[in-house]
């Protein structure tokens, strides 16, 4: 199926879903989930779940307890069961508003929820399961959660995550309106929300903020990610039974996350009625590899009633392996060059030769730095283990302990065939190279044929792993029917280690090479020698590197709630968070090409997929021959990478909640204020005229964050939401470092410095949305948002002589001096930025169609966002789209589901976006648009046994990266193949 045909099919689904909005509404069952509790709590919760208004005399609910209510029931029948045994009766019911009064029924003793019926979670108001009856059911439950929220939010519940074809949590999240993801090695990695990049999204796991970092095998995508951007590739999606995307901010939420908050929740034993066991096994393969790898999931849970109360225990495990072969074409970058007149042959026109040899500044021609064939092979292992204990001694006290361990490892081999070496094509041409033919389009050298070039092949072997651990203890206590408290103690730690990062470079000197971008991507190289003949290659260089990152959170908080009446509630709380981050990068390089004695490298022609085969070094065997140091120490620290950050934050909030009716319309609202105070300590090394010296810089910032959210039900099925708030996002970790880093290349280099005195991003936001619900058959929602950010952090970049940076000359590359031009960048607080946009979401079962088409359904969304900021490049101020902002993102799924089988096909589109401000004469850098297509089908052999077939990235969508927003010069173009799985799930 072509991408164009699929898009048309999905658009037809949108149109049919729109027709379904006009389908007549009938009385429908609702899903209720209420514990035995005071009527002060149960009546408002019932009203929310039933989608109606309930009015009662102010003192009528005092002292009354209602029984547990769970299941799919018609609304009037459910209300009858809820009021059974109490003195409350229905005085009137017009289908929209119910009025209660005190009747003649004598009050009966309240019944405690039986062991088989779980009470509602203290935080989450809907219980979920890892395996549910179907995709429709999970959509319905997510819809219920969205409907009952006061602010704007979206949720994914069990079946969306556990059964949809997602390799990790990032890919599950891309189904939510406003969420777009970055990809690496065939999987999702980080997310952007409503056009704001990963650093603007806060991640909570089981109620506490967390951070976890991994790495990319690809330098163009950031390599090791020492940022505030949570790497969602850490976790298998099966570990979670609910994800909530909170787009609105309320004072009761932690500060941070201007884009929004992603709340992750692992399963607990009280989520299930009793004993529960599930096992799932899948075989996975990729079109770029010839291997089959396992994906195994298991869960066991139980709960018991004892004389001391109710106990529950749960254990789940998710383990997987997969092989990824991503390959294609890339450039280190593009740079402005000059070619000496003596290095230009007669085949180049006089006009082009003059331009290449005499142009200055930005009038120079841009040429690729080391146009490269590249291949990455990654054997990835992912292990996740969750455990949970719950104890409820009575209906007023509950305690939970949630434990999680996750481990992600990557064993990578990377190979490149580059136009690099001693006399390389990596900058100005003044060696033995000679340009024989050239084609210039605009100011870009899109085709060139050279002689006298030293060519290089690269082989890298790396191994890294991230271990994530978390323990969270929560306790809730219902002191009286009106007063309750909840406390949390949490600890999390993410530790990334990369003990192996070894590279060996081979060189073949004085060769003829060419590169050609005239036909678009991927580019094409040609060589005048046999690149698969080991006799043509000799050892040039060997590098060893190690990386380490540790992030740690310690959290303690207590929240209180006082219900003055069913309509009026005050919430309050205090919190302490201690965040620490430390890390380093160590590096050693040995150059062999200028040595009197050069060891013989051990070589091979690798057997992974590539645009062309070529000779590379056997890394381990060659390191054994050279005897080079591989176990590095602190003496090998890269300048600017060894730094430590400590953030200690104390916060407090007060919030008023309203749940009432106005002119017969349900009105829910919250208004509050949060105060935060953060002490930052940044320690590292700073460069001075006297060399590198240790430094410790301390800073402090605080603030007050007001928030208001309103949800008004114009009718029982139509809700209008309004929100206004102020929030912050803390600066990126690298921006706060009390350190600087220097890197060099044959043509120059770059200096990057931190700024520990940065103020956080500060944003004032307003938003509004309209939602219409069609029972549990679907909904349509339309929302708009606007954010105005002050003190927006941006980069300032300039090309300057190295000597003016203040860094010691000992850090420059071979043959360089104080006059060598370096790109110098540092973060600064800019004037600000704005972002605004709109979201449209539609979900609809096509039950109004004649059979068999009534089993069809559609869910989809589209988001538009725009925002700009200013940044300096080479001393000139430019206006850029915000980093990682895609103006358009959309998701669409067409599904067909019966009692025995079902299938669905999904598309996730993201328009192009910028990821940096550029440099080396390029204005901006970014990624082209992507559209990823996935498929899943299942068959229920028995009620307990389900067979699943899945396909991911069916169109083998490329990752297309470029530099310069005007010329869009290609820096990488790679494909990772199609992934297929087949397996079975059995529920005991």
């Amino acid at each position: 199926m072509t991408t164009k045909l699929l898009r048309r099919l999905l658009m037809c689904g949108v149109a049919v879903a729109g027709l379904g909005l006009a389908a007549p509404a009938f009385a429908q069952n609702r899903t209720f989930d209420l514990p035995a509790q005071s009527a002060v709590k149960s009546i408002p919760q019932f009203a929310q779940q039933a989608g109606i208004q309930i009015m009662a005399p102010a003192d009528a609910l005092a002292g009354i307890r209602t029984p547990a209510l769970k299941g799919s029931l018609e609304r009037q029948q459910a209300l009858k069961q809820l009021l059974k045994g109490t003195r409350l009766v229905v005085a009137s019911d017009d289908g929209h508003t119910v009025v209660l009064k005190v009747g003649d029924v004598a009050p009966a003793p309240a019944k405690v929820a039986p062991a088989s019926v779980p009470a509602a979670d203290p935080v989450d108001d809907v219980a979920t399961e890892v395996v549910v009856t179907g995709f429709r059911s999970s959509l319905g439950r997510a819809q219920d959660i969205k409907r009952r929220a006061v602010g704007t939010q979206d949720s994914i519940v069990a079946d969306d995550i556990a059964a949809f074809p997602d390799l990790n949590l990032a890919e599950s999240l891309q189904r939510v309106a406003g969420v777009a993801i970055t990809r690496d090695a065939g999987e999702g990695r980080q997310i952007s929300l409503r056009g704001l990049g990963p650093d603007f999204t806060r991640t909570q796991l089981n109620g506490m903020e967390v951070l976890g970092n991994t790495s990319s095998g690809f330098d163009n995508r950031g390599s090791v990610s020492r940022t505030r951007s949570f790497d969602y590739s850490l976790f298998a999606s099966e570990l979670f039974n609910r994800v909530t995307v909170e787009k609105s901010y309320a004072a009761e939420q932690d500060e941070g996350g201007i884009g929004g908050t992603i709340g992750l929740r692992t399963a607990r034993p009280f989520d299930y009625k009793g004993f529960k066991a599930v096992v799932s096994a899948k075989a996975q393969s990729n079109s770029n590899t010839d291997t089959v790898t396992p994906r195994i999931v298991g869960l066991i849970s139980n709960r018991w009633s004892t004389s001391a109360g109710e106990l529950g225990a749960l254990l789940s495990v998710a383990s997987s392996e997969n092989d990824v072969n991503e390959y294609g074409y890339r450039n280190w970058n593009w740079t402005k060059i000059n070619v000496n007149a003596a290095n230009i042959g007669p085949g180049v026109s006089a006009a082009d030769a003059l331009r290449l040899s005499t142009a200055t500044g930005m009038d120079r021609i841009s040429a690729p730095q080391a146009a490269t064939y590249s291949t990455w092979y990654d054997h990835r292992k992912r292990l996740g283990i969750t455990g949970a204990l719950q104890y409820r001694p009575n209906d007023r006290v509950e305690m939970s302990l949630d434990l999680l361990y996750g481990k992600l490892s990557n064993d990578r081999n990377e190979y490149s065939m580059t136009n690099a070496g001693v006399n390389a094509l990596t900058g100005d041409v003044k060696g033995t190279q000679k340009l024989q033919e050239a084609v210039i389009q605009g100011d870009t050298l899109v085709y060139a044929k050279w002689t006298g070039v030293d060519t290089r092949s690269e082989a890298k072997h790396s191994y890294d792993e991230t271990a994530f651990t978390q323990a969270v203890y929560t306790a809730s206590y219902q002191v009286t029917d009106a007063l309750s408290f909840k406390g949390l103690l949490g600890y999390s730690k993410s530790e990334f280690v990369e003990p192996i990062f070894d590279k060996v470079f081979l060189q073949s000197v004085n060769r003829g090479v060419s590169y050609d971008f005239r036909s678009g991507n991927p580019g094409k190289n040609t060589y005048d020698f046999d690149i698969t003949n080991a006799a043509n290659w000799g050892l040039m260089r060997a590098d060893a590197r190690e990386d380490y990152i540790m992030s740690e959170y310690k959290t303690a908080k207590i929240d209180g709630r006082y219900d003055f009446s069913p309509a009026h509630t005050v919430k309050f709380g205090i919190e302490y968070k201690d965040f620490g981050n430390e890390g380093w990068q160590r590096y050693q390089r040995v150059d062999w090409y200028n040595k009197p004695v050069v060891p013989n490298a051990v070589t091979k022609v690798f057997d992974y997929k590539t645009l062309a085969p070529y000779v590379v070094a056997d890394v381990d065997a060659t390191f054994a021959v050279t005897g080079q140091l591989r176990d590095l120490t602190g003496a090998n620290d890269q300048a600017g990478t060894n730094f430590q950050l400590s953030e200690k934050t104390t916060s407090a909030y007060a919030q008023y909640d309203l749940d009432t009716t106005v002119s017969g319309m349900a009105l829910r609202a919250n208004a509050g204020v949060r105060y935060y105070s953060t002490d930052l300590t940044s320690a590292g090394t700073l460069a001075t005229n006297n060399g590198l010296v240790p430094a410790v810089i301390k800073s402090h910032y605080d603030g007050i964050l007001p928030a208001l959210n309103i949800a008004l039900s114009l009718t029982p099925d139509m809700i209008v939401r309004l929100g206004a708030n102020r929030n912050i996002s803390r600066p990126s970790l690298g921006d706060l470092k009390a350190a600087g880093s220097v890197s060099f290349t044959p043509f120059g280099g770059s200096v990057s410095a931190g700024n520990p005195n940065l103020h956080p991003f500060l944003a004032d936001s307003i938003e509004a949305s309209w939602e219409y619900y069609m029972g549990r058959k679907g909904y349509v929602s339309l929302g708009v948002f606007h954010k105005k950010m002050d003190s927006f952090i941006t980069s300032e970049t300039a090309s300057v002589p190295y000597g003016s940076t203040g860094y010691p000359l000992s850090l420059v590359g071979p043959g360089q001096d104080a006059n060598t031009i370096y790109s110098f960048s540092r973060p600064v607080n800019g004037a600000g930025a704005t972002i605004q946009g709109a979201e449209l979401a539609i979900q609809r079962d096509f039950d109004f169609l004649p059979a068999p088409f009534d089993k069809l359904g559609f869910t989809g969304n589209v988001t538009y966002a725009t925002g700009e900021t200013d940044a300096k490049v080479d001393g000139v101020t430019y206006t850029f789209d915000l980093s990682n902002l895609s103006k358009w993102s959309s998701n669409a799924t067409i599904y067909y589901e019966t009692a025995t089988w079902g299938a669905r096909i999904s598309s996730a589109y993201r328009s192009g976006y910028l990821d940096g401000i550029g440099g080396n004469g390029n204005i901006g850098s970014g990624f082209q648009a992507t559209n990823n297509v996935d498929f899943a089908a299942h068959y229920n052999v028995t009620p307990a046994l389900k067979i699943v077939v899945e396909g991911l990235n069916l169109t083998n969508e490329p990752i297309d990266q470029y530099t310069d927003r005007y010329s869009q010069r290609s820096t990488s173009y790679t494909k990772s193949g199609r992934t297929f799985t087949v397996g079975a799930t059995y529920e005991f």
Side-chain angles (χ1 to χ4, degrees):
M1 180 182 293
T2 65
T3 302
K4 182 181 291 185
L5 179 60
L6 176 68
R7 287 179 180 172
R8 288 179 179 175
L9 179 60
L10 294 175
M11 290 306 295
C12 289
V14 174
V16 175
L19 293 175
L21 300 183
F26 300 96
Q28 308 240 357
N29 283 9
R30 297 270 186 169
T31 297
F32 297 92
D33 189 355
L34 300 171
Q37 59 185 330
S38 66
V40 172
K41 287 189 172 184
S42 65
I43 297 301
Q45 291 176 11
F46 179 91
Q48 291 177 14
Q49 296 184 17
I52 61 172
Q53 310 300 316
I54 298 183
M55 302 179 68
D59 59 348
L61 307 183
I64 295 178
R65 294 186 64 79
T66 55
L69 180 67
K70 183 177 178 66
S72 178
L73 300 168
E74 191 274 327
R75 194 262 300 165
Q76 290 180 328
Q77 179 188 8
L79 182 57
K80 184 178 180 180
Q81 290 189 21
L82 184 71
L83 301 181
K84 184 178 181 180
T86 74
R87 60 176 178 265
L88 297 173
V89 296
V90 176
S92 66
D93 183 350
D94 63 2
H96 300 286
T97 302
V98 175
V99 178
L100 301 180
K101 69 176 184 178
V102 177
D104 298 327
V105 180
K111 295 182 179 180
V112 177
S116 61
V117 180
D121 184 270
V123 177
D124 301 321
D125 53 5
V126 173
T128 55
E129 298 182 356
V130 170
V131 179
V132 297
T133 57
F135 185 62
R136 270 193 180 92
S137 175
S138 66
L139 291 179
R141 295 213 300 260
Q143 173 186 313
D144 289 342
I145 298 170
K146 177 182 180 71
R147 184 172 186 169
R148 291 197 296 274
V150 176
T152 303
Q153 69 174 50
D154 290 283
S155 297
I156 313 173
V157 295
D159 193 76
D160 269 324
I161 295 177
F164 203 78
D166 300 320
L167 294 177
N168 64 45
L169 199 57
E171 296 186 349
S172 297
L173 281 163
Q174 74 176 325
R175 320 285 176 198
V176 173
V179 173
I181 68 173
T182 60
R183 295 178 181 273
D184 183 71
E187 294 190 22
R189 187 182 179 196
Q190 296 168 333
I191 73 166
S192 298
L193 184 56
R194 282 184 166 180
L196 290 171
D199 272 5
F200 292 96
T201 302
R202 189 171 61 91
T203 301
Q204 277 191 322
L205 177 54
N206 290 328
M208 66 170 291
E209 185 170 353
V210 293
L211 177 62
N213 298 126
T214 63
S215 73
S216 168
F218 194 18
D219 293 341
N220 292 48
R221 297 180 199 146
S223 188
V224 178
S225 61
R226 192 176 179 183
T227 68
R228 292 191 194 270
S229 307
F230 191 90
D231 273 298
Y232 290 91
S233 60
L234 270 174
F235 299 125
S237 55
E238 294 93 340
L239 291 177
F240 304 90
N241 68 354
R242 178 170 164 185
V243 176
T244 300
V245 182
E246 295 177 322
K247 303 172 186 178
S248 299
Y249 176 69
E252 63 183 320
Q253 299 171 355
D254 290 1
E255 77 285 343
I258 290 173
T261 295
I262 308 296
L264 313 177
R265 183 183 183 277
T266 56
R268 291 173 174 171
F270 287 0
D271 292 343
Y272 311 112
K273 296 179 181 179
F275 176 78
K276 183 81 168 182
V278 180
V279 63
S280 174
K282 297 178 182 178
Q284 178 174 307
S285 186
N286 183 276
S287 60
N288 282 3
T289 66
D290 57 0
T291 59
V292 177
T293 54
R295 188 178 182 93
I296 300 172
V297 180
L299 177 145
I300 186 168
S301 175
N302 204 359
R303 55 193 296 175
W304 304 270
S305 293
T306 70
S307 58
E310 190 170 11
L311 300 172
L314 177 146
L315 176 68
S316 72
V317 179
S319 175
S320 66
E321 297 184 34
N322 64 299
D323 294 325
V324 178
N325 186 176
E326 184 176 357
Y327 70 97
Y329 196 101
R330 76 178 181 113
N331 294 292
W332 294 352
N333 207 329
W334 291 67
T335 190
K336 299 292 185 181
I337 67 167
N338 285 112
V339 182
N340 285 353
N343 296 88
I344 301 176
V348 180
S349 70
D352 287 346
L354 182 65
R355 189 176 178 187
L356 285 162
S357 59
T358 63
T360 60
M362 294 298 289
D363 293 330
R364 293 176 295 166
I365 298 301
S366 291
Q369 301 174 27
T372 303
Y373 287 159
S374 289
T375 294
W376 301 267
Y377 183 90
D378 184 13
H379 181 69
R380 172 168 287 181
K381 293 183 179 180
R382 186 182 287 112
L383 172 66
I385 304 172
T386 73
L389 298 173
Q390 285 185 283
Y391 174 51
R392 185 184 297 138
N394 53 59
D395 62 352
R396 290 183 176 272
V397 177
E398 184 172 316
M399 291 171 278
S400 298
L401 177 64
D402 296 296
L403 305 172
L404 185 148
Y405 173 79
K407 182 177 180 180
L408 175 71
S409 66
N410 297 284
D411 193 343
R412 297 186 175 101
N413 290 306
E414 174 188 338
Y415 304 109
S416 298
M417 179 69 181
T418 74
N419 296 324
V422 179
N423 289 302
L425 298 177
T426 55
D428 288 343
V429 179
K430 51 190 177 182
T432 63
Q433 314 95 319
K434 196 153 193 173
L435 181 61
Q436 304 294 350
E437 299 176 14
V439 175
I440 299 173
Q441 294 179 357
D443 60 351
T444 304
L445 188 61
V446 296
Y447 165 75
K449 182 177 181 180
W450 300 85
T451 57
V453 174
D454 293 347
T455 302
R456 191 169 82 188
S457 83
E458 302 178 8
K460 181 182 81 175
H461 176 223
S462 65
Y463 177 83
D464 67 70
E465 62 182 40
T466 300
F468 183 93
T469 55
Q470 185 196 46
V472 179
Y473 171 79
T474 57
S476 60
Y477 176 40
Q478 188 75 40
V479 183
T480 68
D481 286 349
L483 179 63
S484 63
F485 289 95
K486 180 181 177 182
L488 180 148
L489 292 174
Y491 174 82
S492 73
K493 182 178 181 180
S494 170
E495 194 167 26
F496 170 86
V497 293
E498 188 171 38
I500 302 173
F501 187 104
D502 298 335
K503 298 184 73 170
V504 177
F505 303 79
L506 305 179
Q507 183 173 242
S508 188
V509 300
N510 197 26
R511 300 298 184 180
V513 301
S514 66
Y515 54 79
D516 192 347
F517 294 94
R518 290 174 293 181
S519 299
N521 282 321
K524 183 179 180 181
N525 292 355
T526 57
Y527 305 89
D528 71 348
F529 69 106
D530 184 1
I531 59 178
T532 64
N533 185 351
N536 292 324
W537 298 93
L539 180 62
M540 175 192 177
R541 174 179 142 199
D543 294 357
R545 193 180 105 184
E546 296 180 13
D547 292 271
Y548 176 78
I549 304 172
M550 189 278 291
S551 297
E552 187 177 52
Y553 269 102
K554 303 170 185 176
T555 302
K557 64 178 179 177
I558 184 167
D559 299 290
R561 172 182 177 136
Y562 189 83
D563 298 316
F564 288 94
S565 71
H568 306 281
T569 298
V570 171
K571 297 177 181 178
F572 51 91
I574 58 174
E575 181 176 17
Y576 175 76
K577 283 190 296 187
D578 184 349
F579 170 68
N581 176 271
E582 62 182 69
W584 42 256
Q585 184 178 102
R586 294 169 178 170
Y587 177 76
Q588 187 194 53
R589 164 177 170 166
V590 176
D591 293 297
W592 296 100
Y593 64 86
N594 59 352
K595 297 292 180 66
V597 178
V598 180
N600 291 321
V602 180
T603 63
K604 64 181 179 180
V605 177
F606 66 91
D607 56 1
Y608 304 129
K609 284 196 173 183
T610 178
L611 293 177
Y614 46 90
V615 167
V616 296
D618 183 315
V619 174
D620 290 338
T622 302
F623 264 90
V625 170
T626 65
Q628 181 177 341
L629 177 68
R630 302 174 79 178
D631 294 325
L632 307 181
T633 67
N636 304 106
D637 282 353
Q638 283 279 81
T641 66
N642 192 336
F643 63 92
Q644 303 82 41
L645 296 174
S646 172
E647 288 177 342
K648 300 181 187 298
T649 300
T650 303
S651 60
Y653 75 92
Q655 178 175 300
Y656 167 69
D657 285 16
L658 176 67
D659 190 346
T660 187
T661 59
V662 176
S663 299
M665 298 180 294
L667 174 64
R668 291 171 293 133
N670 59 58
V673 62
R674 188 178 191 92
Y675 171 77
Y676 68 93
S677 174
T678 299
D679 293 311
L680 170 71
T681 302
S682 179
T685 54
L686 291 175
T688 68
N689 291 332
N690 297 321
L692 293 174
V693 297
V696 176
I697 300 176
K698 295 186 177 183
S699 63
H700 171 85
Y701 56 87
D702 57 13
I704 295 176
L705 306 176
L708 169 68
N709 295 283
I710 300 172
L712 177 65
S713 297
L714 302 178
T715 72
D717 293 319
M718 187 181 298
I719 302 174
V720 173
R721 303 184 197 273
L722 298 172
N725 64 75
R726 170 171 288 182
N727 202 356
I728 65 167
S729 282
R730 293 184 168 86
S732 178
L733 301 177
D735 288 347
L736 291 172
K737 63 184 179 183
S741 62
V742 178
S743 62
F744 58 83
T745 62
F747 60 90
S750 62
V751 176
S752 177
N755 186 354
N757 293 309
L758 287 171
H759 299 293
F761 298 90
L762 181 67
D764 292 323
S765 303
I766 57 173
E767 59 186 87
S769 66
W770 170 86
E771 300 165 9
Y772 177 71
Y773 294 87
M774 296 155 275
R776 288 179 62 87
K777 299 299 183 181
Y779 71 93
V780 59
S781 70
L782 176 64
V784 294
F785 57 90
H786 174 84
K787 298 177 186 291
K788 182 181 183 300
M789 286 184 275
D790 295 325
S791 66
F792 190 85
I793 298 170
T794 185
S795 297
E796 189 175 71
T797 301
S799 297
V800 298
Y802 178 86
S804 68
T805 67
Y807 284 70
L809 287 175
S810 60
L811 301 178
V812 301
Q816 297 179 351
D817 56 28
N819 296 316
T820 302
I821 300 299
Y822 269 59
S823 178
F824 181 62
S825 63
R826 67 188 182 102
V828 294
N829 284 112
T834 61
I835 184 170
Q836 49 276 322
E839 293 176 350
L840 171 66
I842 298 175
Q843 177 190 319
R844 188 64 168 98
D845 290 344
F846 295 165
D847 59 320
F848 54 88
L849 294 178
F853 303 106
D854 58 337
K855 301 300 189 294
L856 282 167
F858 173 84
T859 179
N861 56 74
V862 59
T863 300
Y864 173 78
T866 179
E868 295 179 334
T869 188
D870 293 335
K872 284 186 178 181
V873 181
D874 295 328
V876 179
T877 299
Y878 295 89
T879 298
F880 292 94
D881 287 341
L882 296 180
S883 182
N884 288 281
L885 185 149
S886 292
K887 287 191 174 181
W888 292 97
S889 60
S890 63
N891 298 278
T893 299
I894 292 177
Y895 54 90
Y896 188 93
E897 191 167 73
T898 71
T900 55
W901 70 277
R904 52 192 180 269
I905 188 166
S906 176
S907 168
Y909 172 78
R910 180 179 189 180
S911 65
Y913 61 94
L914 297 177
D915 70 332
I917 64 173
N920 295 324
N922 301 292
I923 311 304
S925 61
F927 289 78
Q928 302 287 4
T930 58
N931 186 58
N932 286 79
V933 180
D934 302 326
F935 169 81
H938 73 271
Y939 177 73
N940 297 321
V941 180
T942 70
L945 177 62
K946 178 169 68 174
I947 305 298
V948 179
V949 177
E950 302 163 342
L952 291 82
N953 192 22
L954 296 181
T955 58
N956 196 15
E957 187 78 356
I959 299 178
D960 189 352
Q961 193 172 353
Y962 66 88
T963 190
D964 196 87
R965 63 183 179 182
Y966 304 110
S967 300
Q968 296 195 357
R969 304 177 181 107
S970 176
T971 52
S972 73
Y973 184 91
T974 63
K975 293 187 176 183
S976 57
R978 303 167 178 85
T979 298
F980 301 94
T981 68
V982 59
T985 298
Y986 191 85
E987 179 180 350
F988 297 89

